[in-house]
Amino acid sequence: MSVEALTPPPHFIQQMIADDLHAGRIPATVVTRFPPEPNGYLHIGHAKSIHLNFGMAAEFGGICRLRFDDTNPLKEEPEYVASIENDVCWLLGRPLEESPRFTSSYFDQIYHYAEQLILTGKAYVCDLNNEEIRATRGTLTQPGQESPYRNRGVEENIDLFRRMRAGEFADGSRVLRARIDMAAGNINMRDPILYRIRRATHHQTGDNWCLYPTYDFSHCLADAIERVTHSLCTLEFEDHRPLYDWILDQLDINDPRPHQTEFSRLSIEYTVLSKRRLNLLVNSGSVDGWDDPRMPTLAGLRRRGYTPEALRRFCQHIGISRADNRVEMALLEHCVRDDLDHRAARAMAVLHPLKVVIENWPQDQVEWLSAPCHPQDDTMGVRQLAMTREIWIEQDDFRRQANKDFKRLVHGGEVRLRNGYIIHCHEAVTDAVSGLVTELRCTYDPDTLGVNPSNRKVRGVIHWLSVSHSLSAEVRLYDRLFTLTSPDADSDAAFLAMLNPESLTILPNCPVEPGLAHAKAGDSFQFERVGFFCVDNRDATDNRLVFNRTVALRDSWTRKESH
Ligand code: ATP
Ligand code: MG
C-alpha cells in the first residue's frame, strides 16, 4: 500500500474557506477552534478534528484556539483540562499560540444573552421537570405539546430567571427554554433547553453559578464571542445547526457571523472512539488507565510509541469528507511503521529465547562485532555486539525439519547470524518429557564474517544475542483491543464482553542488547526482524527495562485473517 497514492485532493472545507475569503463573505482572518469538553482524554478522533481546525487556520494564515467547552461540571475534571492541553501541543509539535479559552469564562455574557432572549419573548422559564419535557417533546412523526408555562409574560420570566440565578430554586425544578416551535420537524427546535439549575462546583468558576447553559446555547455564543468564522464539527451536530443559527439570528449577531460546517467522525476498526465508552474501559479496570497502550487515546498511543508525525500523516491521509466510514487499523499502523523506520535505531532482542552453544568457539572468548545503528542513516553511528560461545536465538528461527521455504535454521543446516558469522547446527537437544528443543549445538565458520562463501548458499539471516553480554527486559506485546471490527452493544456488559482477551501478552525476561540500558522513556527502537518498540514511559526505571511493542514489522493480523 503506498500512502502517497492515498493523499486526497483539497477537501470541501478547504474549498469552502477559500471561496468564503475570495468572495469576501468573512473577515480577512480565518478563525477556527477545537472545542473539547474536559470530560475525558483525547482520542485519535479528536486528532482528526485538531488536525483539521489547526490545519485550516495555518493554511489560510488565520488562528485556531483550543477552547474547553466546559458547561457540565458534573462530568468535568481539572485532570482532563491538563491532559487535553498537553495532548494538543504534543500532536501539533509546538506550544499553543494563545492560552486556551474556556466557555465558562463567558458565562456572564451568555447569561446576558439569555436575558435578552427573554426580554424579546424568545425564551421562557418552564417548570416541567426533565421527564415531563421529554414526554411532551413528541416524536419524529408526531408534534410535541406546548408547555403550560410557554406563555408566561416577559416580566414573570425575567423575574424567575434572575431568581434561578440567585439560587432560589431546587436543581431540576425549572429550566430556561427557547420559544421556537413545538411542531417543528426538527426535534431540536421544539423549545430546546437553554439553561438548567445544577448545584455543582465548577473546576474554573467554583460556586459562582448554580445554573449552567446547555451545549446548544453556549456553543454558538462562544463561537461568536471569539469571532470564529468557521465552526467545524462532526456530523451528529448537523441537526443542531438550525438551532445554532436561530440563536444567532434572534440575538442579531452578524459581525462576524460564525457558520457551522460538519464533517464525518473518524471511526477505526477494532476500537472505539467515544469518551463514554473509553471511560467505561478505564472505570471497569479493563485497561490500565487512559494511557494504556491499547487505548486509542493520544496518551495511550504516545505510550505505545506512536509519534505525533505518524498521527499527523494519518490524519492527512484519511482526509475530510461527509461520508461515514471505518478506517482500517492497518492504515494507522502503516503510518507509524513508515515514520519509525526512518527515526528508530536498530537493536536486537530475542523474545522467545533458545540457547545455542557454538562448540568450536573458545569458552571465554568475546569478539566485538560492529553493526550499524541504522541501515540507511550513517549519522546514527555503529554499535558493538558481543559474540560469545553461548548465544540466544529465537525459538521460531529453528525447525528440526522444514521445506525449502523456511530460510532459517534447520537441523543439519546453516544460517547467518545478523552482522556475524555463519553457523551450522548439528544437534538439537530435546527435553525427554516434553519433546521440546531446549538447546542447539552448532559450529561457526570463522571465514564468513561479512563474506558469503561462493560455494554455499546461505539464504537465512537471524537475529541473536550473547547469553553473557545481554540484559533482560520485560516486553509487552499488544494486539487489537476488540475482536470485532465495529465493537458496539446495547449494554455495557455486552460491550465489555467484546474485548480481545489476548490484547496484552507480557514476556517478562527477554534478552536485549546491553546498549539499551541507556534508553530513555519513550525512546523507540526497531528490534531487528521483530518490530518497533519503545521504552514504557510509566513502568521503566533505571533498573528495570520495559518495552512496549508499537507495531510489528509486518501486518500479521491481515495475514491471519486471510488464512
Ligand atoms: P465523544 O463522542 O468521544 O465523547 P465528543 O464529541 O463528545 O466525543 P468533544 O470533546 O465534544 O467530544 O469533541 C471535541 C471536538 O472533537 C468536537 O468538535 C467533535 O466534533 C470532535 N470529535 C470528537 N470525536 C471525533 C471523531 N471521532 N472524529 C472527528 N472529530 C471528532
Ligand atoms: Mg461532545
Side-chain angles (χ1 to χ4, degrees):
M1 173 173 38
S2 158
V3 159
E4 273 58 41
L6 299 173
T7 305
H11 54 70
F12 78 102
I13 292 182
Q14 240 165 327
Q15 198 62 55
M16 171 189 73
I17 298 177
D19 290 350
D20 284 347
L21 281 169
H22 188 249
R25 275 194 292 270
I26 54 160
T29 306
V30 170
V31 180
T32 58
R33 83 290 170 265
F34 170 63
E37 185 179 355
N39 60 353
Y41 278 59
L42 296 184
H43 53 62
I44 187 165
H46 294 114
K48 175 176 179 176
S49 179
I50 295 166
H51 190 257
L52 172 66
N53 279 294
F54 283 89
M56 290 303 94
E59 179 166 338
F60 293 100
I63 175 134
C64 177
R65 301 190 186 97
L66 167 60
R67 180 214 304 156
F68 290 101
D69 217 340
D70 54 346
T71 56
N72 184 3
L74 291 180
K75 292 196 169 165
E76 299 164 8
E77 307 272 351
E79 175 194 347
Y80 300 140
V81 171
S83 77
I84 288 172
E85 182 175 356
N86 180 54
D87 286 349
V88 171
C89 295
W90 175 75
L91 183 69
L92 294 174
R94 59 170 172 81
L96 297 173
E97 284 156 355
E98 286 187 21
S99 340
R101 306 283 177 106
F102 291 84
T103 297
S104 57
S105 60
Y106 313 134
F107 278 170
D108 277 325
Q109 290 163 83
I110 295 171
Y111 176 86
H112 285 296
Y113 279 127
E115 286 206 349
Q116 218 172 305
L117 286 183
I118 294 171
L119 293 173
T120 52
K122 300 292 181 186
Y124 62 97
V125 172
C126 179
D127 303 358
L128 298 181
N129 63 31
N130 255 338
E131 286 76 65
E132 290 164 332
I133 291 177
R134 204 173 305 128
T136 52
R137 197 178 284 143
T139 63
L140 286 175
T141 48
Q142 285 193 321
Q145 291 153 247
E146 294 193 350
S147 158
Y149 306 99
R150 195 172 200 262
N151 295 317
R152 266 181 171 148
V154 166
E155 261 159 51
E156 187 182 356
N157 277 320
I158 203 87
D159 173 62
L160 285 172
F161 189 52
R162 287 177 182 164
R163 288 163 61 194
M164 278 167 69
R165 161 91 174 93
E168 284 189 32
F169 307 120
D171 284 20
S173 62
R174 289 192 160 93
V175 292
L176 183 72
R177 294 177 74 175
R179 196 161 185 276
I180 310 180
D181 179 5
M182 287 308 291
N186 182 339
I187 294 180
N188 293 307
M189 300 298 274
R190 295 182 187 168
D191 292 9
I193 297 173
L194 306 180
Y195 262 98
R196 20 173 86 89
I197 304 174
R198 186 167 281 169
R199 285 178 176 73
T201 302
H202 189 287
H203 50 103
Q204 303 298 320
T205 57
D207 293 321
N208 289 356
W209 294 87
C210 63
L211 74 175
Y212 292 96
T214 54
Y215 169 88
D216 279 326
F217 189 50
S218 58
H219 202 87
C220 52
L221 295 175
D223 282 347
I225 291 165
E226 291 179 354
R227 306 178 68 79
V228 166
T229 54
H230 297 88
S231 182
L232 310 176
C233 62
T234 36
L235 277 169
E236 71 270 23
F237 294 106
E238 186 171 23
D239 289 346
H240 298 241
R241 177 156 31 107
L243 180 54
Y244 183 104
D245 287 331
W246 183 90
I247 294 167
L248 297 178
D249 281 343
Q250 305 315 308
L251 294 167
D252 224 2
I253 294 175
N254 287 306
D255 180 30
R257 168 70 176 240
H259 286 281
Q260 176 180 309
T261 307
E262 309 86 18
F263 60 96
S264 62
R265 287 178 82 83
L266 171 66
S267 333
I268 301 187
E269 288 179 344
Y270 303 105
T271 193
V272 282
L273 298 181
S274 140
K275 278 187 284 190
R276 199 185 73 74
R277 293 295 205 195
L278 296 175
N279 233 308
L280 173 66
L281 293 177
V282 173
N283 293 331
S284 62
S286 309
V287 295
D288 173 29
W290 285 97
D291 67 349
D292 184 300
R294 292 166 293 181
M295 291 280 272
T297 50
L298 298 185
L301 289 162
R302 174 167 58 237
R303 191 171 164 202
R304 175 88 171 248
Y306 274 73
T307 58
E309 291 85 354
L311 295 178
R312 295 202 297 261
R313 283 193 73 179
F314 172 75
C315 292
Q316 186 80 38
H317 294 308
I318 54 173
I320 295 291
S321 77
R322 287 176 54 87
D324 267 320
N325 71 337
R326 205 167 258 274
V327 175
E328 279 181 81
M329 189 62 112
L331 177 61
L332 182 59
E333 293 179 345
H334 174 82
C335 289
V336 75
R337 216 181 264 127
D338 211 44
D339 185 57
L340 289 177
D341 193 34
H342 301 294
R343 65 175 80 238
R346 272 44 175 176
M348 288 205 270
V350 178
L351 301 194
H352 301 95
L354 171 63
K355 190 183 275 185
V356 174
V357 179
I358 314 284
E359 293 191 317
N360 59 340
W361 189 279
Q363 191 67 45
D364 295 319
Q365 179 173 313
V366 180
E367 181 181 348
W368 292 95
L369 306 175
S370 293
C373 292
H374 194 285
Q376 281 94 42
D377 185 351
D378 295 344
T379 62
M380 292 175 87
V382 292
R383 61 199 213 268
Q384 302 298 320
L385 304 171
M387 176 64 193
T388 54
R389 182 176 162 89
E390 292 189 342
I391 61 171
W392 298 116
I393 67 166
E394 208 71 67
Q395 286 169 17
D396 270 1
D397 283 337
F398 173 77
R399 281 192 206 161
R400 215 175 256 292
Q401 289 166 335
N403 65 22
K404 62 178 179 348
D405 291 338
F406 185 76
K407 299 198 180 68
R408 296 164 267 167
L409 189 58
V410 293
H411 191 212
E414 290 189 316
V415 79
R416 176 176 289 284
L417 299 178
R418 193 164 176 84
N419 302 300
Y421 296 97
I422 290 177
I423 59 169
H424 174 273
C425 173
H426 57 87
E427 188 186 346
V429 181
T430 48
D431 180 275
V433 180
S434 67
L436 294 175
V437 177
T438 53
E439 190 176 295
L440 300 181
R441 299 265 152 183
C442 295
T443 52
Y444 87 107
D445 182 340
D447 297 327
T448 54
L449 187 64
V451 286
N452 257 338
S454 54
N455 58 340
R456 300 216 297 272
K457 263 206 179 131
V458 180
R459 289 185 302 165
V461 179
I462 62 173
H463 58 279
W464 58 280
L465 280 167
S466 156
V467 170
S468 55
H469 289 67
S470 54
L471 300 174
S472 172
E474 176 176 320
V475 172
R476 298 172 180 174
L477 305 179
Y478 300 101
D479 208 329
R480 309 281 142 95
L481 190 48
F482 288 89
T483 50
L484 299 169
T485 47
S486 323
D488 196 14
D490 292 336
S491 77
D492 286 353
F495 173 71
L496 292 175
M498 294 172 175
L499 282 164
N500 176 7
E502 291 168 15
S503 59
L504 169 62
T505 306
I506 297 178
L507 305 173
N509 280 311
C510 300
V512 299
E513 272 181 44
L516 294 176
H518 309 296
K520 296 187 300 298
D523 282 357
S524 285
F525 297 91
Q526 184 193 100
F527 289 167
E528 298 191 62
R529 299 182 63 241
V530 180
F532 291 99
F533 291 75
C534 78
V535 180
D536 188 74
N537 64 18
R538 192 126 61 102
D539 300 335
T541 62
D542 284 349
N543 306 315
R544 183 175 174 216
L545 278 170
V546 182
F547 288 95
N548 296 324
R549 182 171 68 192
T550 311
V551 68
L553 282 190
R554 275 182 297 267
D555 187 354
S556 57
W557 189 272
T558 317
R559 271 195 320 211
K560 209 187 307 181
E561 276 186 319
S562 61
H563 276 179

